[in-house]
């Protein structure tokens, strides 16, 4: 942290109760210090800057007015909880933010008693709030429950399910709608338009005040006249603000409120805390507030790598294009040739590399908002109508659409292309975002084909393969890393479904690997060669179907095999190989599985995460040396 001269008030804040010794008006200086602190610290570590700059005053008032952890403050997603972390005793650890064994970039229950709900995916806070409010009532306690949810997260279907339940049960809780008109990318959809109407409708607010003032001047309103007055107010709502959605769902609606006006926020939340039943406080905030680069481009600054604080210039590592970029450029290339190709994404056009595609083919780009389930079923229907939909989605978000993948896509054998980004370890985003489960939850589904490229050139060929394939769903998974740096073939060609390739010859031992693990296998083989051990390295690029011919050959040759994958061992590629041998009564194979063990791997660099679980060339070489060579029978 900088000197006490720069952070006069912030130095005095170590727990939420420390806020309560100040007048509300004095918190404005603290808000400024917190913004400067965030801008300074994240310039070194990177992280979610714009969302946190937008909720400084809101978070201050929540902790000023309520008594955490007795009162439960639940942050949807959690990437906007840095201010909460600062106020709850963790400001001295911000140099470790998102680093290995350091401060988590999301809410983490093991970090603090004030972190009451963990989430890296959106739209869960309202269900959690309903659960905590129900538990409170069953236990006879009297604490408050406050859920903070963004306008983008409110588009998630799970949020609507919770709104419906909360409004029906009339539980005492507060929903804070943090409305900044943004998720990661600009918001889309009818809910976004509805909130915009509420934000901007001064006519309704002025007319309502005039009506209430008129009614108060009447000496006595009772009986039928009182009922008529209430109906008149309701009619005015419907006349001026279409829908009045939240009040119809059973909430008392307060707002819109300026999310950067401390006094108004304080008064509004005092009012909300005294009301019975569910209350929705609609707070208008500016994403990136207080830092010009983040205000101008809050999309870019949602999650940012290290940058120069004064200029806002991002410090970029020099390297080969990321797989995401290669996917985006190749998709344009293929879409130029095939007008049936349509891209679908759940609120991740930037992260999935689709912005250039959207600019080139605006009518063939569909951003459904935070609605992974809807996106999957939409793709199924597009495919049935003869189009070629590509569902571009992070591995961690695809798991939210599991039922739709099974029921609507695979069961109906819909010809959908899955572009599964962030497959494998994701580094600083950590355990809530690790893309290590998609093989386990997809390969067992009938009709599914799955593949993973060894390099960016093979990714291009796999995309050609996927769009040439007409027999059902097909998935390509690729990692959140830079490409290997290989040259591209001029002509794209389809790869025969279910075929592997030997990328390095050897005998007695073989490593079957996928994706980035192929380079790890090659490094291990090179190390072992110096010790006189020649290891065959296989690019097991098709996870489903397997290359039965090559597996049978390895069995005939009595080859010792390691299966190397940056995915969950349970249900992964290695499991499928063992299943194959068991199903074909091949019991004398020696197969060692190396992948991600049965626990959640936390945040850090990808290199550190691989080292933690033993996915390194050194560990692979050690495992090979533990295997004794066997007498081989050469295949005829």
């Amino acid at each position: 942290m900088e000197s006490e001269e720069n952070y006069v008030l912030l130095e005095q804040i170590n727990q939420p109760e420390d806020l309560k010794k100040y007048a509300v008006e004095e918190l404005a200086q603290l808000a400024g210090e917190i913004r400067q602190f965030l801008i300074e610290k994240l310039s070194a570590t990177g992280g979610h800057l714009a969302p946190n700059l937008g909720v400084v005053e809101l978070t201050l008032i929540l902790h000023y007015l309520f008594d955490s952890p007795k009162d439960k403050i639940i942050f949807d997603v959690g990437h906007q909880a840095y201010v909460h972390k600062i106020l709850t005793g963790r400001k001295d650890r911000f140099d470790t933010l998102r680093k290995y064994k350091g401060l988590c970039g999301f809410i983490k229950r093991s970090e603090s008693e004030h972190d009451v709900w963990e989430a890296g995916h959106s739209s869960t806070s309202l269900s959690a709030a309903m659960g905590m409010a129900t538990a409170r009532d069953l236990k006879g306690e009297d604490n408050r429950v406050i859920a903070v949810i963004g306008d983008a997260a409110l588009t998630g279907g799970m949020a609507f399910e919770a709104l419906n339940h909360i409004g029906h049960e009339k539980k005492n809780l507060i929903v804070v709608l943090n409305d900044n008109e943004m998720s990661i990318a600009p918001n889309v959809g009818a809910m976004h338009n509805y909130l915009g109407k509420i934000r901007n409708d001064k006519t309704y607010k002025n007319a309502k005040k005039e009506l209430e003032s008129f009614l108060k001047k009447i000496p006595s309103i009772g009986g039928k006249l009182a009922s008529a007055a209430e109906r008149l107010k309701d009619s005015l709502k419907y006349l001026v603000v279409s829908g009045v959605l939240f009040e119809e769902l059973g909430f008392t609606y307060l707002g819109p409120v300026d999310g950067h006006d401390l006094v108004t926020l304080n008064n509004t939340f005092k009012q909300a805390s005294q009301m019975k039943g569910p209350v929705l406080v609609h707070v208008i905030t500016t994403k990136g507030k207080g830092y010009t680069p983040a205000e101008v481009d809050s999309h870019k600054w949602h999650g940012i790598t290290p940058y120069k604080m004064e200029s806002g210039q991002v410090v970029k590592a020099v390297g080969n294009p990321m797989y995401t970029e290669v996917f985006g450029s190749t998709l344009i290339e293929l879409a130029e040739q095939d007008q049936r190709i349509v891209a679908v994404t759940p609120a991740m056009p930037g992260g999935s590399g689709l912005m250039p595609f959207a600019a080139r083919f605006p009518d063939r780009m569909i951003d459904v908002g935070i609605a992974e389930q809807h996106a999957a079923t939409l793709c199924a229907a597009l495919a049935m109508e003869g189009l070629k939909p590509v569902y571009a989605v992070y591995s961690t978000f695809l798991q939210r659409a599991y039922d739709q993948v099974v029921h609507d896509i695979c069961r109906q054998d819909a010809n959908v292309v899955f572009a599964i980004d962030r497959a494998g370890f994701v580094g600083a985003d950590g355990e809530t975002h690790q893309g290590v489960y998609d093989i386990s939850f997809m390969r067992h589904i009938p009709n599914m084909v799955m593949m993973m490229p060894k390099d960016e050139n093979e990714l291009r060929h796999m995309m050609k393969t996927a769009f040439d394939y007409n027999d059902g769903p097909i998935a390509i998974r690729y990692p959140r890393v830079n490409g290997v740096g290989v040259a591209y073939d001029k002509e794209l060609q389809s790869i025969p479904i279910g075929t592997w390739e030997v990328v390095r010859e050897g005998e007695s031992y073989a490593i079957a690997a996928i994706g980035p693990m192929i380079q790890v296998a090659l490094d291990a083989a090179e190390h072992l060669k110096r010790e006189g051990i020649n290891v065959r390295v296989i690019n097991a690029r098709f996870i489903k179907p397997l290359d039965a011919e090559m597996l049978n050959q390895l069995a005939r040759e009595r080859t010792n095999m390691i299966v190397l994958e940056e995915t969950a061992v349970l249900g992964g590629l290695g499991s499928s190989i063992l299943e194959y041998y068991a199903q074909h009564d091949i019991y004398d194979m020696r197969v060692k599985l190396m992948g991600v063990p049965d626990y959640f791997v936390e945040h850090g660099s990808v290199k550190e995460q691989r080292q933690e679980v033993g996915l390194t060339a050194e560990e692979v070489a050690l495992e090979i040396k533990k295997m004794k060579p066997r007498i081989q029978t050469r295949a005829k």
Side-chain angles (χ1 to χ4, degrees):
M1 193 184 298
E2 289 192 355
S3 67
E4 293 186 14
E5 183 180 348
N6 293 317
Y7 298 123
V8 177
L9 292 184
L10 185 55
E11 284 286 350
Q12 310 303 315
I13 306 299
N14 296 304
Q15 291 296 330
E17 56 264 27
D18 295 334
L19 294 171
K20 303 180 192 301
K21 60 188 177 185
Y22 297 101
V24 172
E25 294 79 4
E26 293 179 279
L27 298 181
Q29 178 182 336
L30 179 59
E33 292 180 13
I34 289 173
R35 282 199 169 88
Q36 183 59 33
F37 178 88
L38 287 170
I39 294 166
E40 175 204 343
K41 293 300 182 183
L42 269 63
S43 70
T45 64
H48 291 93
L49 181 64
N52 286 284
L53 291 177
V55 298
V56 175
E57 289 85 0
L58 173 59
T59 310
L60 278 170
I61 289 301
L62 289 178
H63 277 295
Y64 183 76
L65 191 59
F66 298 104
D67 297 317
S68 176
K70 178 186 176 184
D71 293 332
K72 312 298 182 183
I73 303 175
I74 302 167
F75 291 91
D76 202 280
V77 185
H79 62 241
Q80 81 285 47
Y82 292 3
V83 184
H84 164 79
K85 288 176 182 269
I86 290 169
L87 299 176
T88 53
R90 286 168 277 181
K91 65 178 185 287
D92 294 333
R93 297 183 60 198
F94 257 74
D95 290 330
T96 71
L97 181 69
R98 291 163 55 88
K99 294 181 180 179
Y100 190 64
K101 302 298 183 182
L103 205 60
C104 181
F106 299 91
I107 290 291
K108 187 75 172 170
R109 284 167 57 87
S110 61
E111 278 186 8
S112 171
E113 63 179 349
H114 299 279
D115 288 10
V116 298
W117 179 255
E118 294 185 9
H121 296 171
S122 78
S123 312
T124 68
S125 62
L126 303 187
S127 298
M130 180 60 182
M132 291 187 182
T134 301
R136 172 201 62 201
D137 294 348
L138 288 172
K139 294 188 293 182
E141 297 173 347
D142 63 352
N143 61 287
R144 274 77 61 95
V145 178
I146 306 99
V148 182
I149 186 169
D151 51 325
L154 198 63
T155 66
M158 187 175 174
F160 281 103
E161 293 173 17
L163 283 173
N164 182 58
H165 189 208
I166 293 168
H168 174 73
E169 295 290 342
K170 304 297 184 188
K171 291 293 182 185
N172 291 335
L173 59 83
I174 298 172
V175 173
V176 183
L177 174 55
N178 174 32
D179 183 358
N180 57 29
E181 302 188 67
M182 290 287 288
S183 51
I184 296 175
N187 286 336
V188 297
M191 175 58 74
H192 167 63
N193 295 331
Y194 173 76
L195 292 175
K197 187 177 291 186
I198 295 177
R199 278 193 297 270
N200 300 319
D201 209 314
K202 296 180 180 177
T203 307
Y204 165 62
K205 288 182 283 187
N206 292 337
K208 182 179 178 182
K209 288 180 181 178
E210 290 177 9
L211 176 62
E212 290 174 346
S213 177
F214 170 73
L215 292 173
K216 288 178 181 177
K217 293 177 182 178
I218 301 176
S220 176
I221 297 180
K224 293 181 180 180
L225 184 57
S227 298
E230 287 302 315
R231 287 197 300 273
L232 180 58
K233 286 199 290 183
D234 282 342
S235 298
L236 181 64
K237 292 177 187 178
Y238 284 108
L239 178 66
V240 182
V241 180
S242 175
V244 198
L245 174 65
F246 302 114
E247 293 192 5
E248 289 300 320
L249 284 171
F251 286 76
T252 299
Y253 173 83
L254 300 179
V257 179
D258 182 350
H260 304 295
D261 184 328
L262 288 160
V263 174
T264 301
L265 283 171
N266 188 55
N267 292 338
T268 303
F269 280 109
K270 276 185 178 179
Q271 181 183 1
S273 66
Q274 294 166 0
M275 291 178 170
K276 297 294 184 181
V279 180
L280 188 139
V281 182
H282 185 180
V283 178
I284 309 298
T285 61
T286 300
K287 199 171 182 180
K289 185 173 178 61
Y291 187 54
T292 301
E295 285 193 45
V296 170
D297 191 352
S298 59
H299 179 196
K300 170 184 174 182
W301 288 82
H302 173 84
I304 197 72
T305 55
Y307 55 92
K308 295 181 180 178
M309 188 167 54
E310 295 77 13
S311 65
Q313 180 182 353
V314 177
V315 180
K316 291 186 176 179
V318 178
N320 301 313
M322 297 191 73
Y323 280 88
T324 304
E325 299 173 60
V326 177
F327 161 76
S329 61
T330 307
L331 186 63
I332 292 174
E333 186 178 331
L334 291 166
E336 296 277 8
Q337 304 165 19
D338 189 343
Q339 294 184 355
R340 298 174 300 164
I341 293 176
V342 177
V344 177
T345 184
M348 298 301 296
S352 293
L354 290 174
M355 297 301 285
F357 182 92
R360 177 66 184 85
F361 303 108
D363 294 338
R364 292 156 66 183
M365 170 69 191
I366 304 173
D367 182 355
V368 301
I370 300 176
E372 293 88 357
Q373 294 171 300
H374 167 59
T377 301
L378 172 69
C379 284
L382 290 170
M384 290 173 188
E385 291 300 309
L387 297 180
K388 282 280 189 176
V390 54
Y391 185 8
V393 60
Y394 292 6
S395 171
T396 186
F397 298 145
L398 179 58
Q399 64 201 37
R400 311 191 88 193
Y402 177 74
D403 180 63
Q404 287 68 31
V405 174
V406 174
H407 186 273
D408 299 333
I409 295 178
C410 293
R411 189 184 60 82
Q412 300 187 92
D413 209 13
N415 191 201
V416 175
V417 176
F418 291 88
I420 306 174
D421 202 340
R422 271 65 168 174
F425 287 135
V426 295
D429 281 341
E431 59 191 303
T432 59
H433 284 61
Q434 305 288 23
V436 298
Y437 306 112
D438 55 273
I439 292 178
S440 300
F441 71 73
M442 290 184 75
R443 74 168 179 84
H444 65 88
I445 308 173
N447 299 328
M448 177 64 73
V449 171
M450 292 191 77
M451 49 187 172
M452 187 174 195
K454 68 179 184 295
D455 56 40
E456 60 271 41
N457 183 52
E458 191 169 53
L459 169 61
R460 288 169 48 78
H461 291 302
M462 283 187 174
M463 292 178 66
K464 170 69 171 171
T465 305
F467 287 113
D468 284 350
Y469 184 73
N470 296 306
D471 295 332
I474 185 168
I476 315 167
R477 61 192 310 272
Y478 45 92
R480 186 190 189 182
V481 295
N482 295 96
V484 180
V486 298
Y488 296 166
D489 294 330
K490 291 183 179 180
E491 185 177 346
L492 294 177
Q493 296 183 347
S494 288
I495 303 168
I497 300 295
T499 59
W500 295 354
E501 66 169 347
V502 176
V503 295
R504 181 181 178 125
E505 292 291 350
E507 57 186 16
S508 300
Y509 306 94
I511 304 171
I514 53 172
M517 291 295 99
I518 290 170
Q519 188 58 53
V520 174
L522 289 170
D523 291 343
E526 186 62 30
H527 175 78
L528 289 165
K529 182 181 178 181
R530 294 193 290 268
E531 300 185 33
I533 303 174
N534 293 316
V535 178
R536 187 183 316 176
V537 177
I538 299 167
N539 173 20
R541 56 194 176 188
F542 279 92
I543 300 154
K544 183 184 180 184
L546 301 173
D547 190 331
E549 183 178 341
M550 190 172 292
L551 286 173
N552 290 338
Q553 178 183 337
L554 291 167
R556 288 193 299 269
E557 296 177 359
R558 296 172 60 81
T559 304
N560 292 317
M561 180 163 56
I562 284 180
V563 183
L564 186 61
E565 54 186 323
E566 194 175 281
T567 59
V569 170
L570 300 181
L573 172 66
S575 292
S576 69
I577 291 172
L578 292 175
E579 290 162 11
Y580 175 86
Y581 284 134
Q583 289 165 359
H584 291 82
D585 298 322
I586 300 171
Y587 301 117
D588 60 347
M589 280 296 294
R590 188 177 294 161
V591 181
K592 169 73 176 181
L593 307 188
M594 295 186 70
V596 179
D598 189 23
Y599 69 89
F600 292 106
V601 179
E602 297 187 351
H603 55 282
S605 68
V606 170
K607 181 179 179 181
E608 288 167 330
Q609 289 165 343
R610 289 177 181 170
Q611 288 174 336
E612 178 179 321
V613 301
L615 293 179
T616 64
E618 293 76 16
E619 290 293 333
V620 173
L622 284 173
E623 290 298 331
I624 288 286
K625 287 190 285 187
K626 290 178 184 178
M627 292 180 168
K628 294 181 180 180
R630 306 164 76 196
I631 299 174
Q632 292 201 354
T633 302
R634 297 302 298 177
K636 295 182 180 180

